[in-house]
């Protein structure tokens, strides 16, 4: 494992281009584009204000920088550094900005979610979409980039509009049977749209591309419902995480529950492996060890009087090969649960010394990287678990991380810095604590 | 006065046993019976036994404690006063007794009525007791049931309370959520209002605009198209196409999976049927087995049917049939396994348990044997087939036969040739031998002549002097070789004559016609066969072995004449 130098960044704005060649970071009002291999600065752009959101276009030719306070969006070109584009939302304000899948349109959501403005870079034309819903996830593009689903709210009812991204033609507009739509997501094969209700009602609806309701699933009534939803990459499974600390897996043929994964405080499943990060000595490196089952998982009881309690499955992620599912239960924040989707059973539990902040799957291999806000990066694969200390002068507290699209390197973000971690095929290095661990081939 | 007497006797009659009836009936008839009606009137006292009666009465009276009656010695009459007194006392007694009896009777009546009364009341009380007992138990039962009811109700109450608590917690969490949301919305509303106010106040109105250096080409390089209904239709079409293709791929994969599963099920079924074939199943004939056999045969039929059907058949009935048959087979297999298990457990308890290893070895051996037998049979069959399988037509048969005969002919010819060759050789040998024998005979003749001459000379020259001039004479004209030692020659000659049979023929060559020596003799001469032990060794020459001799009949090589150097003749 090699680590690169540390570079500055602000607002955790650091993105790799979709083609994997460049790394763009925002430092205050500057946009720095580096070559991924040499990390040399290739381009440097200056925006008008502190950048709040930065995004690459799908063809890696343009970068948009949104400055919400000023209501401005600036677009930069990599091919022609002299080219410039500025979108001013005017007095109506700006809340979010994103690219369309074709990389030629920008969708701006105005303040108070009054409308979504679609700006075209090809024609300078403007389209408006009224009454977008302000919810957890109100807009989603299909994986092939052809369709966009948008949640709308008119007269106290939820509607879903399906647009053709080609020319923003409204393909379908239908009422959703939700009480209060919280989010929608396309299946990876772009044929099914999953729509779920707010946490006050456990309801997940499955709509076909042409607007027909395929199925409705509700596990229970009255108690707080769905917290997170994830599709498996093959569109075979839909994982629904809820406030009752369970993940329910629905299958794509009957849309019925095939199993549910529980997150109990005591693990007695003998086939699962529990990796526990143990503090050996305060000054020493921390190592992982495999504990004997039955094992206890530390639980933090949430405050019952607060809204959106810290209980339930808040994050779900499928591995790229569809074989594993990683889940995090909010009232066991230090543990990460890995499930085997072939056997539909618990495979491993990773217990860390601090709450898990971020975990991502390698886009190519079944490998999971996670961080807990300390100076280490943890990697899990079916072969075993490894933790690596980031060898940086001063401490580099890893707040979040993501993989390079090739799966050969990790981008680690601390509060104000970014560092790259290159993973080689043969594992080695003095900073790795490998006591009680089985090596894995990376 | 006679009546008192009569009365007395009457009374005595009463007190006496009726067996003492006497014939005083007349007395009775005249008597007026006092209110009592004593039918038995027996005269106790007569004229004759007055004294006895008196004595008896006295006795009785004394036992009662009264003064007795004395008997007057005169005519035997009694003192009337005494008797009357006695009578009066007796009457008193009687009265008292009567009164006592009466009292007793009344007492007894009272007692019996009391007893009856008590019995009644006893019965009544018993019934009452029984009744109350029953009531009591009934009440107990009722109480117990009520207790149970109480318990269940308490449990219900507890669960209801829990439910209520849970619902309350849910309500409270929902309430918090609602509050939170409503607060958020309110805040947003306020912000909106503020902004609206601000906008109303604000004179400057920043228009939304876009500034671009130049237009950017579309990502796919094509020109933009107008929005028309055709476009809309195209979009619709594309959408449906996408959906359809997705359904198709899914359906394909499902069909594939289905067919694979069906195949697996078919195999399973076949295997199960094979395992459960009747010879396996009929280990212990039980009534249950009959159905099993039937079902197995059914299953076999089904298997036959199945094999004929194609796997792509996906109609409902076929599927159900398959699953049902699988279930049936599985049940059979299970029961079979159970039976086997029970058998094994039984056998384990028995003595004649063969270890698994032995069993397997036995099996292996048997298999091997079987294999060998099979091979043998197969081979036999093949040979038989070859034998029997006459060629299709006579020609070929004849040809074959001819071939065989030809082969044989050739072989025979060869052999014949060899034989004739051998014969020729033999003849030659014989001829040579004969010549040699003739020569030998001649030589022998010559030798004999010489001998005769020598003997003659010897005889003639028989002198005590033996000189050595003999050698010159002893030069035979014969062809026979002469050894250097004449003595030896001389010495050996007689034994030679006596010993050697082989030269028996030669000894009289002139006498007898030249006879062909027999083969055995020839051979013996030639030392081809051993004559007798210790005859003499053959220093030189080849010695054919016995085995070769035997084979010499066919394989005649030139026999080299062997000359024995030690035979001087």
């Amino acid at each position: 494992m090699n680590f690169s130098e540390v570079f500055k960044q602000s607002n955790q704005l650091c993105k790799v281009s979709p083609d994997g060649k460049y790394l763009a970071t925002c430092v205050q009002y500057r946009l720095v584009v580096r070559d991924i291999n040499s990390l040399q600065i290739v381009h440097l752009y200056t925006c008008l204000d502190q950048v709040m959101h930065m995004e690459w276009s799908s063809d890696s030719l343009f970068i948009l920088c949104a400055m919400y306070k000023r209501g401005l969006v600036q677009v930069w070109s990599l091919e022609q550094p002299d080219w410039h584009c500025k979108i001013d939302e005017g007095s109506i304000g700006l809340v979010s900005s994103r690219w369309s899948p074709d990389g030629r349109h920008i969708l701006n959501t105005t303040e108070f979610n009054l409308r979504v403005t679609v700006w075209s870079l090809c024609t300078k034309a403007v389209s408006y979409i009224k009454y977008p819903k302000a919810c957890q996830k109100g807009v989603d593009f299909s994986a092939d980039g052809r369709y966009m689903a948008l949640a709308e709210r008119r007269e106290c009812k939820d509607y879903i509009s399906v647009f053709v991204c080609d020319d923003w033609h409204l393909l379908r507009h239908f009422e959703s049977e939700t009480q209060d739509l919280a989010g929608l997501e396309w299946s990876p094969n772009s044929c099914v749209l999953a729509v779920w209700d707010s946490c006050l009602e456990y309801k997940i609806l499955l709509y076909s591309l042409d607007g027909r309701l395929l199925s409705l699933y509700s596990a229970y009534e009255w108690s707080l419902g769905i917290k997170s939803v994830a599709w498996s990459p093959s569109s075979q499974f839909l994982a629904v995480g809820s406030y009752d600390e369970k993940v329910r897996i629905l299958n794509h043929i009957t849309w019925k529950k095939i199993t549910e994964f529980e997150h109990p405080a005591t693990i007695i499943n003998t086939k699962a492996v529990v990796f526990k990060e143990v503090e050996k000595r305060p000054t020493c490196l921390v190592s992982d060890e495999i504990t004997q089952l039955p094992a206890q998982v530390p639980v933090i009881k949430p405050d019952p009087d607060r809204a959106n309690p810290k209980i339930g499955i808040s994050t779900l992620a499928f591995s790229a090969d569809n074989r594993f599912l990683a889940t995090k239960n909010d009232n066991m924040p230090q543990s990460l649960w890995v499930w085997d989707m072939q056997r539909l059973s618990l495979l491993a539990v990773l217990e860390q010394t601090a709450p898990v902040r971020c975990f991502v799957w390698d886009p190519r291999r079944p490998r999971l990287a996670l961080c807990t806000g300390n100076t280490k990066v943890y990697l899990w694969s079916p072969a075993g678990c490894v933790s690596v200390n980031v060898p940086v002068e001063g401490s580099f507290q890893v707040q979040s991380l993501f993989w390079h699209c090739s799966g050969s390197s990790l981008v680690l973000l601390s509060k104000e810095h970014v560092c790259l971690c290159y993973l080689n095929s043969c594992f080695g290095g003095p900073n790795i604590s490998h006591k009680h661990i089985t090596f894995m081939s990376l | 006065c006679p009546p008192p007497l009569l009365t007395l006797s009457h009374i005595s009659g009463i007190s006496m046993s009726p067996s003492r009836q006497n014939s005083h009936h007349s007395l009775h008839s005249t008597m007026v019976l006092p209110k009592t009606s004593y039918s038995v009137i027996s005269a106790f006292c007569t004229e004759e036994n007055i004294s006895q009666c008196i004595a008896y009465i006295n006795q009785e009276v004394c036992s009662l404690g009264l003064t007795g009656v004395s008997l007057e010695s005169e005519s035997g009459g009694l003192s009337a006063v005494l008797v009357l007194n006695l009578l009066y006392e007796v009457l008193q007694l009687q009265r008292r007794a009567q009164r006592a009896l009466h009292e007793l009777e009344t007492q007894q009546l009272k007692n019996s009525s009391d007893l009856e009364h008590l019995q009644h009341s006893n019965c009544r009380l018993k019934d009452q007791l029984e009744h109350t007992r029953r009531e009591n138990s009934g009440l107990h039962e009722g109480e117990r049931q009520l207790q149970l009811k109480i318990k269940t109700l308490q449990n219900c109450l507890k669960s209801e309370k829990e439910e209520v608590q849970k619902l309350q917690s849910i309500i409270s969490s929902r309430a918090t959520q609602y509050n939170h949301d409503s607060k958020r919305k309110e805040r947003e509303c306020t912000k909106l209002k503020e902004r609206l106010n601000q906008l109303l106040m604000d004179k400057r109105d920043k228009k939304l605009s876009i500034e671009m250096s130049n237009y950017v080409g579309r990502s796919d390089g094509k020109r933009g198209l107008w929005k028309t209904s055709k476009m809309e239709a195209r979009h619709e079409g594309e959408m449906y196409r996408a959906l359809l293709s997705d359904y198709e791929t899914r359906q394909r994969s499902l069909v594939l999976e289905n067919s694979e599963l069906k195949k697996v099920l078919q195999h399973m079924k076949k295997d199960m049927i094979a395992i459960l074939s009747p010879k396996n199943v009929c280990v212990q004939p039980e009534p249950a087995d009959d159905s099993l056999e039937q079902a197995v045969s059914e299953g076999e039929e089904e298997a036959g049917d199945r094999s004929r059907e194609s796997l792509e058949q996906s109609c409902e009935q076929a599927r159900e049939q398959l699953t049902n048959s699988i279930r049936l087979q599985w049940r059979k297999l299970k029961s079979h396994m159970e039976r086997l298990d029970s058998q094994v457990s039984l056998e384990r308890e028995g003595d004649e348990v063969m270890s698994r290893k032995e069993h397997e070895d036995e099996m292996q051996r048997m298999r091997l044997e079987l294999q060998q037998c099979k091979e043998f049979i197969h081979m036999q069959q093949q040979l038989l087939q070859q034998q029997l399988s006459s060629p299709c037509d006579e020609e070929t048969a004849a040809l074959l036969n001819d071939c065989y005969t030809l082969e044989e002919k050739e072989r025979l010819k060869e052999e014949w040739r060899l034989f004739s060759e051998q014969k020729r050789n033999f003849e030659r040998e014989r001829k040579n031998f004969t010549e040699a024998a003739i020569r030998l005979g001649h030589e022998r003749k010559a030798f004999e002549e010489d001998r005769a001459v020598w003997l003659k000379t010897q005889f003639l020259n028989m002198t005590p002097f033996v000189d050595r001039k003999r050698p010159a004479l002893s030069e035979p004209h014969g062809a026979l070789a002469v050894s250097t030692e004449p003595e030896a020659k001389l010495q050996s000659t007689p034994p030679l004559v006596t010993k050697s049979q082989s030269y028996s023929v030669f000894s009289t060559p002139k006498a007898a016609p030249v006879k062909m020596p027999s083969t055995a003799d020839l051979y013996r001469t030639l030392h081809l066969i051993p004559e007798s032990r210790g005859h003499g060794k053959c220093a030189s020459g080849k010695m054919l072995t016995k085995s070769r001799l035997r084979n010499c009949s066919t394989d005649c090589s030139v026999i080299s004449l062997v000359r024995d150097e030690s035979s001087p003749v």
Side-chain angles (χ1 to χ4, degrees):
Chain A
M1 256 187 171
N2 292 327
F3 287 87
S4 71
E5 281 176 47
V6 169
F7 304 104
K8 280 182 85 71
Q9 50 88 0
S10 62
N11 279 339
Q12 313 272 298
L13 289 172
C14 180
K15 303 249 167 88
V16 174
S17 64
D19 60 3
K21 288 193 205 151
Y22 303 102
L23 177 73
T25 45
C26 286
V27 188
Q28 298 297 332
Y29 54 91
R30 279 211 173 87
L31 174 66
V32 182
V33 181
R34 294 170 197 274
D35 176 76
I36 197 85
N37 296 316
S38 60
L39 292 177
Q40 298 285 341
I41 296 178
V42 175
H43 296 289
L44 184 64
Y45 306 100
T46 313
C47 298
L48 297 168
D49 196 12
Q50 190 180 31
V51 178
M52 302 300 293
H53 176 71
M54 183 262 290
E55 197 178 321
W56 282 91
S57 70
S58 56
D59 53 5
S60 309
L61 293 176
F62 298 97
I63 304 175
L64 79 78
C65 300
M67 293 142 270
Y68 297 146
K69 267 186 267 185
R70 300 257 312 252
L72 289 171
V73 175
Q74 275 185 288
V75 186
W76 305 101
S77 161
L78 253 68
E79 285 179 318
Q80 303 171 14
D82 305 328
W83 187 89
H84 66 272
C85 171
K86 186 174 79 165
I87 298 169
D88 193 344
E89 282 292 335
S91 37
I92 204 151
L94 186 65
V95 164
S96 86
S97 176
R98 56 161 64 85
W99 282 105
S100 73
D102 64 353
R104 295 289 177 272
H105 295 85
I106 292 172
L107 288 93
N108 288 341
T109 314
T110 62
E111 214 170 343
F112 307 113
N113 280 78
L114 279 176
R115 64 168 185 238
V116 172
T117 328
V118 184
W119 298 94
S120 163
L121 296 180
C122 310
T123 62
K124 279 209 231 171
V126 185
S127 314
Y128 299 106
I129 303 172
K130 280 163 73 170
Y131 310 115
K133 181 146 188 203
C135 54
Q136 193 187 6
K137 191 169 177 185
V139 181
D140 192 36
F141 292 102
S142 68
D144 53 6
R146 275 203 280 181
Y147 304 105
M148 177 181 89
L150 181 80
E152 296 176 15
R153 182 102 180 161
R154 287 170 216 245
E155 290 149 32
C156 307
K157 281 198 226 157
D158 287 321
Y159 293 89
I160 295 172
S161 296
V162 179
F163 292 92
V164 180
C165 294
D166 223 9
D167 54 1
W168 305 106
H169 160 67
L170 177 65
L171 190 68
R172 284 284 187 278
H173 179 81
F174 51 93
E175 190 179 334
S176 160
E177 282 181 32
T178 50
Q179 290 277 50
D180 185 12
L181 201 155
L184 43 75
E185 190 166 327
W186 287 103
S187 69
N189 64 2
S190 311
C191 291
V192 180
L193 184 68
V195 176
W196 59 95
D197 221 329
S198 73
C199 58
L200 287 170
E201 183 147 351
Y202 193 127
K203 201 194 275 188
I204 182 153
L205 298 155
L206 289 134
Y207 285 97
S208 145
L209 176 57
D210 56 343
R212 287 172 300 122
L213 176 65
L214 294 171
S215 175
L216 183 149
Y217 176 73
S218 173
Y220 51 80
E221 280 191 304
W222 307 124
S223 295
L224 292 177
I226 299 172
K227 198 159 184 186
S228 58
V229 171
W231 282 98
S232 78
S234 63
S235 311
Q236 212 180 351
F237 302 117
L238 180 63
V240 181
S242 47
Y243 280 88
D244 67 345
E245 304 180 55
K246 287 190 199 163
V247 176
R248 288 171 178 85
I249 309 285
L250 310 180
N251 77 86
H252 71 309
I253 297 174
T254 59
W255 299 116
K256 293 223 189 316
K257 177 187 85 167
I258 51 174
T259 186
E260 55 184 48
F261 294 146
E262 283 187 19
H263 296 72
T266 314
I267 303 161
I268 50 171
N269 185 345
T270 51
K271 291 213 179 91
V273 181
V274 177
F275 291 96
K276 196 169 165 153
E277 192 191 0
V278 165
E279 285 268 3
K280 282 282 163 98
R281 273 176 305 182
T283 53
C284 241
L285 290 170
V286 170
S287 63
D288 284 353
E289 66 176 37
I290 298 171
T291 51
Q292 293 292 326
L293 293 164
Q296 289 288 115
V297 180
V299 177
I300 296 172
K301 272 190 81 82
D303 188 356
D305 293 329
R306 295 198 60 186
N308 297 320
K310 286 215 177 306
I311 184 169
I313 314 300
S314 62
T315 341
L316 300 163
F318 276 95
S319 68
D321 61 356
N322 213 19
R323 273 178 59 198
F324 305 104
L325 173 68
T327 62
K328 184 181 156 208
N329 189 1
D330 273 351
N331 61 335
M332 299 165 188
Q334 296 175 4
S335 311
L336 198 66
W337 304 62
V338 183
W339 306 83
D340 185 344
M341 289 310 288
Q342 283 179 322
R343 291 200 195 91
L344 292 176
S345 67
L346 180 62
L347 187 65
V349 176
L350 303 152
E351 204 185 300
Q352 312 298 128
T353 49
V356 175
R357 285 188 68 97
C358 177
F359 62 94
V360 253
W361 285 99
D362 183 330
R364 297 278 176 89
R365 295 166 207 82
R367 198 160 56 166
L368 185 66
L370 60 128
C371 65
T372 61
N374 58 11
T375 58
K376 295 167 140 288
V377 174
Y378 304 90
L379 287 153
W380 177 89
S381 84
C385 198
V386 159
S387 64
V388 186
N389 202 24
V390 180
V392 162
E393 302 257 341
S395 66
F396 187 95
Q397 314 271 18
V398 185
Q399 306 280 16
S400 76
L401 44 71
F402 59 91
W403 289 88
H404 185 269
C405 50
S406 67
S408 59
S409 56
L410 270 169
V411 179
L412 310 168
L413 299 164
S414 73
K415 194 149 179 286
E416 305 219 320
H417 295 95
V418 62
C419 170
L420 262 81
C421 167
Y422 298 98
L423 303 157
N424 302 323
S425 55
C426 66
F427 206 72
N431 292 321
I432 302 129
S433 54
H434 53 258
K435 292 179 201 171
H436 313 292
I437 301 162
T438 52
F439 275 96
M440 59 180 180
S441 55
L442 294 169
Chain B
C1 33
L5 271 165
L6 289 167
T7 321
L8 189 70
S9 70
H10 181 70
I11 290 165
S12 68
I14 296 161
S15 61
M16 276 184 217
S17 66
S19 58
R20 285 195 69 187
Q21 284 180 22
N22 40 28
S23 54
H24 286 285
H25 292 288
S26 57
L27 293 169
H28 294 154
S29 59
T30 54
M31 222 181 84
V32 175
L33 293 172
K35 290 164 188 154
T36 57
S37 55
Y38 298 115
S39 51
V40 176
I41 299 165
S42 53
F44 162 67
C45 182
T46 53
E47 303 283 334
E48 294 86 37
N49 60 353
I50 288 174
S51 49
Q52 283 121 318
C53 294
I54 290 170
Y56 179 74
I57 283 171
N58 280 339
Q59 231 183 352
E60 293 286 319
V61 155
C62 278
S63 70
L64 290 171
L66 301 167
T67 48
V69 182
S70 60
L71 185 64
E72 278 188 30
S73 52
E74 346 184 311
S75 60
L78 295 163
S79 163
V81 172
L82 285 171
V83 170
L84 282 169
N85 283 335
L86 186 67
L87 191 67
Y88 180 74
E89 277 174 17
V90 169
L91 277 170
Q92 294 283 60
L93 262 176
Q94 162 73 353
R95 272 213 188 92
R96 260 184 261 136
Q98 285 267 24
R99 247 182 286 142
L101 183 72
H102 189 70
E103 276 173 28
L104 281 172
E105 273 178 358
T106 46
Q107 193 70 38
Q108 206 240 344
L109 269 170
K110 261 195 230 165
N111 280 346
S112 68
S113 76
D114 276 343
L115 184 69
E116 223 178 275
H117 177 72
L118 282 172
Q119 272 178 347
H120 278 305
S121 64
N122 192 28
C123 278
R124 196 172 36 85
L125 287 170
K126 267 196 188 145
D127 286 337
Q128 235 179 14
L129 184 69
E130 194 62 42
H131 183 69
T132 37
R133 273 217 191 100
R134 254 185 270 124
E135 258 183 50
N136 199 22
S137 62
L139 287 169
H140 272 302
E141 186 64 34
E143 195 186 316
R144 195 179 59 80
Q145 278 177 356
L146 285 169
Q147 291 272 27
L148 262 171
K149 212 167 162 185
I150 284 169
K151 268 204 196 97
T152 50
L153 283 170
Q154 274 176 344
N155 285 340
C156 279
L157 184 70
K158 203 158 65 145
S159 59
E160 288 297 318
K161 275 194 183 147
E162 278 170 18
E163 183 93 17
V164 163
Q165 259 183 344
K166 199 170 71 131
L167 284 170
Q168 275 178 345
S169 71
I170 287 169
I171 287 169
S172 68
S173 68
R174 287 177 80 87
T176 353
Q177 199 74 28
Y178 280 131
N179 286 338
H180 176 82
D181 281 341
S182 68
K183 277 198 192 116
R184 194 163 43 88
K185 286 203 161 55
E186 210 182 304
R187 265 181 250 128
E188 204 173 315
C189 204
T190 337
K191 263 197 273 177
L192 253 171
K193 282 186 196 156
E194 278 175 26
R195 173 57 83 87
L196 194 63
N197 272 330
Q198 198 189 30
L199 280 172
L200 286 169
M201 302 296 211
D202 213 347
K203 296 291 193 294
R204 297 179 301 127
D205 190 18
K206 275 200 293 172
K207 281 218 158 48
L208 47 82
S209 65
I210 178 168
E211 283 171 33
M212 255 198 310
S213 320
N214 48 275
Y215 289 110
V216 179
R218 276 168 62 97
S219 53
D220 49 1
K222 291 194 209 141
R223 287 163 63 100
L225 297 162
W226 292 105
K227 266 193 197 178
T228 54
S229 56
K230 228 195 304 186
M231 286 293 291
E232 287 175 23
R234 196 160 64 92
H235 287 311
E236 289 276 315
E238 271 173 24
M239 176 189 80
Y240 282 121
R241 257 195 294 275
L243 274 175
L244 273 171
S245 66
D246 177 62
Y247 279 128
E248 269 167 20
T249 42
R250 239 198 283 166
Q251 205 230 1
R252 262 200 296 272
S253 65
L254 283 172
V255 161
L256 213 71
E257 208 179 306
N258 236 10
S259 64
E260 273 181 37
L261 287 170
K262 267 199 203 149
K263 263 189 236 162
V264 166
L265 279 175
Q266 300 269 17
H267 285 140
M268 266 174 70
K269 205 178 78 151
K270 277 198 199 115
D271 285 340
M272 282 200 270
I273 288 168
I275 290 166
L276 292 170
S277 59
K279 62 172 167 62
N280 287 347
V281 169
C282 280
V283 175
Q284 289 167 4
E286 290 164 18
D289 272 355
D290 294 335
S291 60
L292 227 67
E293 274 184 59
Q294 202 186 38
V296 164
S297 58
E298 260 177 37
E300 285 179 0
E301 270 178 38
E302 269 182 52
D305 289 335
R306 282 272 144 249
S307 60
R308 270 182 260 129
E309 288 171 27
S310 69
L311 284 171
E312 279 89 48
Q313 194 177 30
S314 59
C315 68
E316 192 79 24
Q317 290 119 353
R319 201 163 19 107
E320 271 177 32
Q321 229 177 3
L322 181 62
T323 49
N324 284 337
S325 61
I326 291 275
R327 272 200 214 105
L328 194 71
Q329 298 296 333
W330 185 247
R331 254 181 268 133
K332 276 184 244 164
L333 191 70
K334 260 202 321 200
S335 62
H336 185 54
M337 285 305 293
E338 281 163 14
R339 230 181 315 120
L340 282 174
D341 277 339
S342 62
Q343 271 180 33
V344 162
S345 61
L346 282 169
E347 271 169 21
R348 227 173 258 153
E349 293 156 18
D351 290 328
E352 46 198 67
V353 162
M354 204 162 52
S355 79
R356 197 188 161 78
K357 188 82 177 50
E358 284 171 34
H359 191 77
E360 275 174 3
D361 290 341
E362 191 75 39
M363 290 290 289
Q364 196 66 27
R365 248 183 290 132
M366 280 166 70
R367 274 198 210 101
L368 210 68
E369 225 178 288
L370 189 71
Q371 187 71 19
Q372 284 172 351
C373 289
K374 270 192 186 155
E375 277 171 15
F376 188 62
I377 289 169
H378 191 65
M379 202 167 57
Q380 290 271 2
Q381 259 187 344
Q382 267 187 340
L383 289 169
L384 197 69
Q385 204 115 19
Q386 267 182 10
Q387 283 272 0
L388 292 176
S389 64
S390 45
C392 2
D393 47 341
E394 288 293 321
E395 215 181 0
T396 338
L399 205 65
L400 274 171
N401 282 339
D402 280 352
C403 285
Y404 291 143
T405 0
L406 204 67
E407 208 179 287
E408 270 204 50
K409 265 195 202 160
E410 292 290 334
R411 215 172 349 109
L412 281 169
K413 261 197 203 152
E414 185 68 20
E415 279 186 32
W416 194 254
R417 193 180 58 75
L418 277 167
F419 181 74
S420 45
E421 204 183 293
Q422 279 168 24
K423 199 168 162 194
R424 270 202 300 277
N425 288 339
F426 210 80
E427 289 293 333
R428 222 184 322 119
E429 294 293 333
R430 266 201 178 166
K431 227 198 278 178
N432 289 340
F433 216 85
T434 330
E435 280 173 21
I438 291 169
R439 252 185 288 126
L440 195 67
H442 285 312
E443 281 181 27
R444 203 175 178 106
K445 198 167 128 193
F447 174 70
E448 287 295 324
E449 282 174 13
D450 284 346
R451 196 164 145 231
V453 165
W454 186 79
L455 275 171
K456 211 167 36 178
T457 48
Q458 189 74 8
F459 186 71
L460 290 172
N461 299 339
M462 193 91 83
T463 60
F465 306 111
V466 180
D467 55 332
R468 300 238 172 228
K469 276 189 268 181
R470 241 33 71 84
L473 278 160
S474 62
E475 261 181 330
H477 299 296
L480 294 166
V482 172
S483 66
T484 50
E485 287 290 312
E487 278 102 4
K489 201 168 51 166
L490 278 163
Q491 277 161 20
S492 66
T493 317
L496 194 68
V497 171
T498 51
K499 213 164 57 160
S500 116
Q501 312 100 291
S502 54
Y503 297 115
S504 57
V505 174
F506 303 144
S507 59
T508 58
K510 18 180 216 288
V514 176
K515 251 200 301 183
M516 292 296 233
S518 72
T519 322
D521 292 342
L522 180 66
Y523 284 152
R524 246 181 264 124
T525 320
L526 299 174
H527 291 276
L528 289 176
I529 49 174
E531 298 164 31
S532 54
R533 285 190 187 270
H535 167 67
K537 63 173 175 73
C538 187
S540 67
K542 294 185 188 132
M543 183 78 146
L544 293 174
T545 58
K546 237 188 195 165
S547 57
R548 275 188 70 194
L549 272 172
R550 279 204 214 99
N551 292 338
C552 271
S553 57
T554 52
D555 188 18
C556 296
S557 50
V558 175
I559 300 166
S560 53
L561 279 168
V562 174
R563 289 203 171 255
D564 195 355
E565 282 182 76
S566 61
S567 59
V569 187

